[in-house]
mmCIF file of all heavy atoms in Angstrom:
data_model
loop_
_atom_site.group_PDB
_atom_site.id
_atom_site.type_symbol
_atom_site.label_atom_id
_atom_site.label_comp_id
_atom_site.label_asym_id
_atom_site.label_seq_id
_atom_site.Cartn_x
_atom_site.Cartn_y
_atom_site.Cartn_z
ATOM 1 N N TRP A 8 138.641 231.438 109.842
ATOM 2 C CA TRP A 8 138.816 232.877 109.688
ATOM 3 C C TRP A 8 137.646 233.641 110.298
ATOM 4 O O TRP A 8 137.844 234.652 110.978
ATOM 5 C CB TRP A 8 138.976 233.248 108.220
ATOM 6 C CG TRP A 8 138.993 234.731 108.008
ATOM 7 C CD1 TRP A 8 138.069 235.486 107.359
ATOM 8 C CD2 TRP A 8 139.964 235.658 108.510
ATOM 9 N NE1 TRP A 8 138.399 236.820 107.404
ATOM 10 C CE2 TRP A 8 139.561 236.953 108.105
ATOM 11 C CE3 TRP A 8 141.141 235.520 109.257
ATOM 12 C CZ2 TRP A 8 140.294 238.093 108.430
ATOM 13 C CZ3 TRP A 8 141.862 236.659 109.575
ATOM 14 C CH2 TRP A 8 141.445 237.925 109.162
ATOM 15 N N LEU A 9 136.435 233.172 110.067
ATOM 16 C CA LEU A 9 135.274 233.849 110.648
ATOM 17 C C LEU A 9 135.313 233.796 112.168
ATOM 18 O O LEU A 9 134.906 234.751 112.847
ATOM 19 C CB LEU A 9 133.988 233.211 110.126
ATOM 20 C CG LEU A 9 133.706 233.404 108.627
ATOM 21 C CD1 LEU A 9 132.424 232.676 108.227
ATOM 22 C CD2 LEU A 9 133.602 234.885 108.278
ATOM 23 N N VAL A 12 137.732 236.475 113.159
ATOM 24 C CA VAL A 12 137.099 237.793 113.059
ATOM 25 C C VAL A 12 136.225 238.038 114.283
ATOM 26 O O VAL A 12 136.242 239.134 114.864
ATOM 27 C CB VAL A 12 136.275 237.899 111.771
ATOM 28 C CG1 VAL A 12 135.431 239.173 111.774
ATOM 29 C CG2 VAL A 12 137.181 237.878 110.546
ATOM 30 N N GLN A 113 143.079 245.227 108.544
ATOM 31 C CA GLN A 113 142.638 245.435 107.168
ATOM 32 C C GLN A 113 141.918 244.198 106.655
ATOM 33 O O GLN A 113 140.899 244.295 105.962
ATOM 34 C CB GLN A 113 143.838 245.761 106.276
ATOM 35 C CG GLN A 113 144.278 247.206 106.318
ATOM 36 C CD GLN A 113 143.312 248.128 105.594
ATOM 37 O OE1 GLN A 113 142.711 247.767 104.597
ATOM 38 N NE2 GLN A 113 143.149 249.331 106.116
ATOM 39 N N ALA A 114 142.472 243.029 106.964
ATOM 40 C CA ALA A 114 141.842 241.778 106.533
ATOM 41 C C ALA A 114 140.478 241.601 107.191
ATOM 42 O O ALA A 114 139.511 241.176 106.547
ATOM 43 C CB ALA A 114 142.759 240.599 106.864
ATOM 44 N N VAL A 115 140.400 241.939 108.476
ATOM 45 C CA VAL A 115 139.103 241.877 109.167
ATOM 46 C C VAL A 115 138.140 242.874 108.537
ATOM 47 O O VAL A 115 136.959 242.573 108.314
ATOM 48 C CB VAL A 115 139.284 242.169 110.674
ATOM 49 C CG1 VAL A 115 137.924 242.315 111.368
ATOM 50 C CG2 VAL A 115 140.088 241.054 111.330
ATOM 51 N N GLY A 116 138.633 244.064 108.226
ATOM 52 C CA GLY A 116 137.790 245.065 107.579
ATOM 53 C C GLY A 116 137.272 244.597 106.232
ATOM 54 O O GLY A 116 136.121 244.875 105.869
ATOM 55 N N LEU A 117 138.098 243.878 105.482
ATOM 56 C CA LEU A 117 137.654 243.342 104.194
ATOM 57 C C LEU A 117 136.506 242.359 104.378
ATOM 58 O O LEU A 117 135.593 242.297 103.546
ATOM 59 C CB LEU A 117 138.829 242.648 103.489
ATOM 60 C CG LEU A 117 139.866 243.555 102.851
ATOM 61 C CD1 LEU A 117 141.045 242.731 102.333
ATOM 62 C CD2 LEU A 117 139.261 244.361 101.710
ATOM 63 N N THR A 118 136.566 241.609 105.462
ATOM 64 C CA THR A 118 135.475 240.669 105.747
ATOM 65 C C THR A 118 134.166 241.413 105.975
ATOM 66 O O THR A 118 133.108 241.014 105.472
ATOM 67 C CB THR A 118 135.822 239.822 106.989
ATOM 68 O OG1 THR A 118 137.094 239.198 106.794
ATOM 69 C CG2 THR A 118 134.761 238.748 107.222
ATOM 70 N N PHE A 119 134.227 242.506 106.715
ATOM 71 C CA PHE A 119 133.038 243.333 106.913
ATOM 72 C C PHE A 119 132.592 243.979 105.608
ATOM 73 O O PHE A 119 131.394 244.156 105.364
ATOM 74 C CB PHE A 119 133.306 244.405 107.970
ATOM 75 C CG PHE A 119 133.300 243.899 109.380
ATOM 76 C CD1 PHE A 119 134.460 243.889 110.139
ATOM 77 C CD2 PHE A 119 132.129 243.429 109.950
ATOM 78 C CE1 PHE A 119 134.449 243.418 111.435
ATOM 79 C CE2 PHE A 119 132.112 242.953 111.255
ATOM 80 C CZ PHE A 119 133.274 242.943 112.000
ATOM 81 N N ASP A 120 133.555 244.338 104.750
ATOM 82 C CA ASP A 120 133.204 244.929 103.463
ATOM 83 C C ASP A 120 132.417 243.947 102.601
ATOM 84 O O ASP A 120 131.460 244.327 101.914
ATOM 85 C CB ASP A 120 134.465 245.363 102.714
ATOM 86 C CG ASP A 120 135.134 246.577 103.348
ATOM 87 O OD1 ASP A 120 134.449 247.289 104.112
ATOM 88 O OD2 ASP A 120 136.324 246.810 103.067
ATOM 89 N N VAL A 121 132.838 242.685 102.624
ATOM 90 C CA VAL A 121 132.113 241.655 101.873
ATOM 91 C C VAL A 121 130.683 241.529 102.399
ATOM 92 O O VAL A 121 129.715 241.451 101.623
ATOM 93 C CB VAL A 121 132.838 240.301 101.968
ATOM 94 C CG1 VAL A 121 131.969 239.185 101.372
ATOM 95 C CG2 VAL A 121 134.178 240.362 101.240
ATOM 96 N N ALA A 122 130.561 241.528 103.731
ATOM 97 C CA ALA A 122 129.231 241.447 104.328
ATOM 98 C C ALA A 122 128.376 242.647 103.928
ATOM 99 O O ALA A 122 127.183 242.509 103.626
ATOM 100 C CB ALA A 122 129.348 241.369 105.852
ATOM 101 N N GLN A 123 128.995 243.831 103.900
ATOM 102 C CA GLN A 123 128.261 245.043 103.523
ATOM 103 C C GLN A 123 127.793 244.975 102.072
ATOM 104 O O GLN A 123 126.677 245.386 101.746
ATOM 105 C CB GLN A 123 129.125 246.277 103.747
ATOM 106 C CG GLN A 123 128.391 247.586 103.519
ATOM 107 C CD GLN A 123 129.264 248.792 103.796
ATOM 108 O OE1 GLN A 123 130.478 248.661 103.982
ATOM 109 N NE2 GLN A 123 128.663 249.962 103.848
#
Side-chain angles (χ1 to χ4, degrees):
W8 173 246
L9 293 178
V12 171
Q113 278 287 326
V115 172
L117 284 174
T118 306
F119 284 113
D120 289 341
V121 171
Q123 186 178 10

